[in-house]
Amino acid sequence: MNDTPSLPDGYEFSADPARIDAARVHHWLSTDAYWALGRSREKQDRAIEGSLNFGVYASVSGEQVAYARVVTDRATFAWLCDVYVDPGVRGKGLGTALVAAVREHLRPYGLRRVLLATHDAHGVYEQVGFRALERPDRWMALHFGE
């Protein structure tokens, strides 16, 4: 896709795991993200450790304002998850730009597919090329509980 959304002025994307504010990410997800409510800090730290991590940061202060992570083998498959934008900066296109930047970061791996699950943000993901599963009847899930 050539129409990659760019971050608004004053924000920057980074794939540097050292920049992730793990305490902030844990607070966001465990208190405000429907898919991760109540997630323990220990579990969140393990998730960060086992994933590629991405952030959007305020250029001047360096404060993290958005987060996403990807679980991948870096060869055939990836799972985009925990995409979150701080409520104070929503509505500026940061979520769409973050997902587009993640997509471009993953492109050189030559992955066959990148999946995600969303309850309410289909439009954000469609803007960067995600589509509903063509054959959902071919997919299954193993649930160990929440």
Side-chain angles (χ1 to χ4, degrees):
M1 295 184 95
N2 295 328
D3 55 337
T4 299
S6 59
L7 287 166
D9 288 342
Y11 297 96
E12 59 191 30
F13 169 82
S14 177
D16 180 356
R19 290 190 72 182
I20 299 299
D21 182 340
R24 174 170 256 199
V25 168
H26 173 254
H27 175 75
W28 282 337
L29 297 178
S30 67
T31 64
D32 190 44
Y34 67 84
W35 65 91
L37 292 175
R39 184 182 289 170
S40 72
R41 174 66 192 267
E42 183 272 333
K43 185 171 280 204
Q44 184 61 48
D45 287 348
R46 280 191 294 136
I48 289 171
E49 185 178 308
S51 303
L52 299 178
N53 296 275
F54 305 93
V56 173
Y57 303 86
S59 298
V60 174
S61 69
E63 177 183 39
Q64 186 169 357
V65 298
Y67 174 74
R69 70 183 180 93
V70 172
V71 181
T72 183
D73 61 8
R74 293 181 173 96
T76 63
F77 178 82
W79 177 264
L80 173 64
C81 53
D82 288 347
V83 178
Y84 188 90
V85 177
D86 186 280
V89 296
R90 289 182 186 163
K92 298 181 179 188
L94 295 174
T96 303
L98 169 60
V99 173
V102 169
R103 179 195 64 205
E104 294 310 307
H105 184 88
L106 296 175
R107 191 179 297 279
Y109 293 139
L111 302 170
R112 182 170 181 178
R113 67 179 47 95
V114 178
L115 293 179
L116 63 87
T118 184
H119 176 71
D120 58 357
H122 295 80
V124 169
Y125 299 108
E126 288 170 348
Q127 289 180 52
V128 294
F130 283 89
R131 300 290 175 258
L133 292 174
E134 290 179 21
R135 296 291 312 265
D137 57 308
R138 293 184 180 184
W139 294 88
M140 297 179 71
L142 174 63
H143 296 272
F144 287 110
E146 302 306 313

